[in-house]
Amino acid sequence: QVQLVDSGGGLVQPGGSLRLSCTASGSTLSHYAMGWLRQAPGKEREFVAAIKWSGDMTHYGDSVKGRFTISRDNAKNTVYLQMNSLKPEDTAVYYCASSPIWVPVKTYEYEYWGQGTQVTVSS
């Protein structure tokens, strides 16, 4: 079983940057696709980005394309989400999750989840 721990959230001004991390224990991540999803208050959980187990393919939600970058370091069992040019509408709890399929864009396509980390974009 995989345990995922999200970190790196915080308060940032519009236009700023944050980097989220997701570290796994209990099993290697190298056979899983990894994704980041987010949930704002009163809204459904939304797909943000995913990266294939090999790291050679990525996929992004339309609202973050060109601003966010997902990457992974399988040797460190860690996945990252670099978020640039942040907007107030990016405010949400961000979750990392693992999936046995490619490309996982639906919530039900993910198997294991982190606890979430809060990102707040506000001046």
Side-chain angles (χ1 to χ4, degrees):
Q1 184 156 348
V2 177
Q3 292 86 41
L4 302 174
V5 178
D6 310 322
S7 62
L11 174 63
V12 62
Q13 292 187 344
S17 298
L18 278 176
R19 189 176 82 154
L20 306 183
S21 299
C22 172
T23 301
S25 61
S27 180
T28 178
L29 289 180
S30 60
H31 302 299
Y32 291 89
M34 296 298 298
W36 289 94
L37 299 92
R38 66 187 182 186
Q39 189 165 19
K43 295 189 176 181
E44 293 187 352
R45 198 164 293 190
E46 173 191 22
F47 171 77
V48 175
I51 186 166
K52 203 174 182 182
W53 40 85
S54 55
D56 61 347
M57 292 185 68
T58 57
H59 185 69
Y60 295 93
D62 288 341
S63 61
V64 306
K65 280 181 183 176
R67 300 188 298 122
F68 291 11
T69 302
I70 189 171
S71 61
R72 67 191 296 164
D73 185 337
N74 286 342
K76 295 182 178 180
N77 254 7
T78 300
V79 179
Y80 306 97
L81 184 68
Q82 178 66 42
M83 306 185 295
N84 299 328
S85 302
L86 283 161
K87 306 174 181 180
E89 50 264 42
D90 294 317
T91 295
V93 178
Y94 284 70
Y95 300 89
C96 76
S98 62
S99 173
I101 69 166
W102 182 258
V103 55
V105 296
K106 303 293 187 182
T107 302
Y108 61 79
E109 293 173 327
Y110 288 88
E111 189 174 22
Y112 298 106
W113 292 82
Q115 82 286 358
T117 184
Q118 176 70 47
V119 172
T120 303
V121 184
S122 174
S123 55

